[in-house]
Amino acid sequence: MQARTGYSTLQIGLHWLVAALVLFQLVFGESMTTVVDATADGHPAPAFDQLMASAHFWIGISILALVLLRLTVRLVPGAPAAPTDNTLMALAARATHWLFYALLFAVPVTGLLALYVNDAFGDIHALGKPVFITFIALHATAALFHQFVLKDGTLRRMLASN
């Protein structure tokens, strides 16, 4: 039996769906702060911010559910082996992926805790934005490095299943 060299269609679809949802959260997430601040001040928030805050909440819930599905899919059939013999590079990739999973779980949970338990969790939740941006930049840079410098097909593994 030949070992899989790429991700399944489900894994690829979940990757890109979660990526799109996280991008939405990064762009429109500030509306939640606007609504929370307006409510605390006793003022109505603008309708657009109310809409985006509601979307932020529901998309956050969706990300949490999709990440749990992604983890299940990753653990049950597994992920293909790293396309490198470089142990340090493979370890860095594995660590980065698991840190991404932790972040994708922790940020929605801290958002929910801020909303339902104690707004102090909001400060922790807000730290997720710069951390996400940093991880996304690192992830994209590594993918491009693999594609154009190492030319090892890593990027292709997330664009088409085999």
Side-chain angles (χ1 to χ4, degrees), residues 10-143:
L10 178 59
Q11 288 170 313
I12 293 169
L14 287 170
H15 173 272
W16 292 110
L17 177 57
V18 169
L21 293 175
V22 167
L23 180 61
F24 177 91
Q25 297 292 67
L26 292 172
V27 172
F28 295 106
E30 298 302 319
S31 291
M32 182 63 86
T33 303
T34 302
V35 170
V36 169
D37 290 346
T39 303
D41 293 341
H43 300 96
F48 178 77
D49 286 317
Q50 290 179 11
L51 176 66
M52 290 298 102
S54 180
H56 184 78
F57 174 85
W58 289 109
I59 289 173
I61 297 285
S62 299
I63 289 170
L64 186 58
L66 290 168
V67 166
L68 294 174
L69 177 59
R70 279 189 73 182
L71 281 169
T72 301
V73 171
R74 174 145 186 150
L75 293 172
V76 174
T84 181
D85 292 333
N86 184 319
T87 306
L88 186 58
M89 200 177 294
L91 178 62
R94 195 167 33 258
T96 302
H97 280 103
W98 285 108
L99 287 170
F100 249 128
Y101 284 122
L103 192 59
L104 287 164
F105 179 80
V107 172
V109 167
T110 57
L112 290 170
L113 290 171
L115 194 58
Y116 293 114
V117 176
N118 186 324
D119 62 354
F121 283 104
D123 293 334
I124 298 167
H125 180 73
L127 292 174
K129 185 172 185 174
V131 174
F132 259 121
I133 291 168
T134 301
F135 268 75
I136 291 166
L138 175 67
H139 189 62
T141 300

